[in-house]
Every structure is written in structure tokens, then in C-alpha cells.
Amino acid sequence: MALFNFNRPSDYLDAAREMADSNRPTLARLLAEEAADRTSDPAEKARILAGFPGGSLQKDN
């Protein structure tokens, strides 16, 4: 597993992809949601979340 430095939305998205590839869909979705939350463009947010299906897992949603 790679070591990640989480400073940008793309960092969260990279980690989400790695979690999805290692069969950890729940963690992948949470990381994708964090990436989407840190993205200002609504279209990009929707694209990110579409790549990681499922309902929101965030408590304060």
C-alpha cells in the first residue's frame, strides 16, 4: 500500500481508487466523498461520486 499525503482532492481520490482496487469499497466511498467535498466544481463532484457507487456514508450528510 502506498503512503499518501492528503493535501488535495486528488490525493483523496487516489487513495479511494487504491481502496477500491484492494476490495475495500466502504473506505473507497468515504475517501471519494471527502474528495468531492474538497472540490468546488459541482460537475466534478458528481463525476467523483459516480465513480464510487453507493449512498453517502458521512454522518453529517
Side-chain angles (χ1 to χ4, degrees):
M1 182 162 117
L3 194 55
F4 288 97
N5 186 11
F6 296 94
N7 294 320
R8 302 166 299 182
S10 62
D11 298 327
Y12 288 90
L13 195 51
D14 290 343
R17 288 185 185 117
E18 183 171 322
M19 292 302 105
D21 290 346
S22 61
N23 201 28
R24 295 181 176 113
T26 302
L27 186 51
R29 176 64 189 201
L30 284 170
L31 288 162
E33 288 179 13
E34 189 62 33
D37 286 347
R38 293 169 180 265
T39 302
S40 59
D41 178 17
E44 182 65 9
K45 286 181 182 193
R47 187 193 67 75
I48 289 169
L49 294 176
F52 298 88
S56 177
L57 299 170
Q58 296 178 345
K59 279 187 169 185
D60 60 331
N61 193 21

